[in-house]
Amino acid sequence: MAIEVRPARSFPDVAAVLGPKRPDANVCWCLSYRLTTSRENRELAGPARGERVRELLGEEPPPGVLAYDGEEVVGWAAVHPRADTGFARNRRIPHVDDLDVWSLWCVRVRPGHRGKGIAHHLVAGAVEFARAQGAPAVEAYPVDNDGRKVDLTMAYVGTRALFERAGFEKVADTDSVLNGFPRVLVRRDLRSQVRRR
């Protein structure tokens, strides 16, 4: 299996990973943290959420990366400058300094493709994407589950172990808890490795 991670630009491919089975269903579409106001997040419902994602895909930089096994899309990771996300004002996730970091907050692998290491490819690809955009560092906010099972509906934040295997280091505790597990702030510093496009 040769997994390739690319910037997310195809709406049908993003919809295959994040979209609902019914077009009118109200699902996250990975917008909960991407939108900068909770009001916009509450007011967007049903198909309007998908249309907002379509708009974001047309912006620079796009809102994340997609993993492909050949031409089949198999996963998604949301990564974007923290300043343009809900994490810029999140009271439960601390700011450890004033560095203009990027946030990596969602890693999702399609059913039928889980357990094959795709999440590792997504994290690595998201870091490379952020690095290519000039990000000085990437932060994530995974659960610190100490190897215990995380409910699949809450596993989108990733685990501390997943990120540590990708070179991230814990830099702070948070006041956030998900699925009964504390979330930690992990960071991968890219400043000595920044590559400009």
Side-chain angles (χ1 to χ4, degrees):
M1 173 174 67
I3 300 298
E4 182 184 358
V5 178
R6 309 174 200 156
R9 301 199 187 277
S10 164
F11 180 75
D13 288 353
V14 172
V17 181
L18 301 177
K21 291 182 178 150
R22 286 187 1 252
D24 62 332
N26 201 25
V27 297
C28 179
W29 278 98
C30 207
L31 288 173
S32 296
Y33 293 114
R34 177 57 179 89
L35 301 176
T36 54
T37 68
S38 56
R39 180 180 178 186
E40 182 182 11
N41 189 41
R42 281 191 312 272
E43 290 176 354
L44 277 178
R49 292 185 76 79
E51 287 308 309
R52 184 68 175 102
V53 169
R54 189 187 302 271
E55 289 171 13
L56 292 172
L57 291 170
E59 294 179 4
E60 287 298 331
V65 295
L66 292 166
Y68 292 86
D69 183 359
E71 288 306 309
E72 183 181 12
V73 64
V74 295
W76 153 269
V79 60
H80 203 75
R82 182 180 64 193
D84 295 335
T85 72
F87 293 108
R89 287 164 304 289
N90 192 305
R91 293 186 187 126
R92 294 184 177 186
I93 308 285
H95 288 205
V96 294
D97 53 35
D98 291 330
L99 196 61
D100 192 19
V101 301
W102 283 43
S103 293
L104 170 51
W105 67 91
C106 179
V107 178
R108 184 155 180 193
V109 177
R110 288 179 76 185
H113 301 279
R114 296 178 180 142
K116 300 176 182 177
I118 293 170
H120 298 281
H121 291 283
L122 282 163
V123 170
V127 167
E128 287 306 312
F129 173 67
R131 181 195 324 264
Q133 301 294 318
V138 178
E139 284 184 350
Y141 321 102
V143 291
D144 193 357
N145 63 325
D146 199 25
R148 290 172 288 171
K149 187 159 179 61
V150 179
D151 182 276
L152 275 180
T153 59
M154 297 296 148
Y156 70 92
V157 298
T159 63
R160 179 177 176 177
L162 168 69
F163 285 97
E164 286 179 342
R165 282 193 292 267
F168 286 71
E169 295 179 359
K170 179 186 171 189
V171 294
D173 290 312
T174 77
D175 292 328
S176 182
V177 175
L178 194 62
N179 195 216
F181 299 112
R183 292 174 74 181
V184 293
L185 190 155
V186 295
R187 183 183 278 188
R188 179 148 171 208
D189 195 316
L190 304 176
R191 286 174 287 189
S192 64
Q193 311 158 4
V194 172
R195 280 195 330 233
R196 299 265 179 204
R197 291 202 278 170

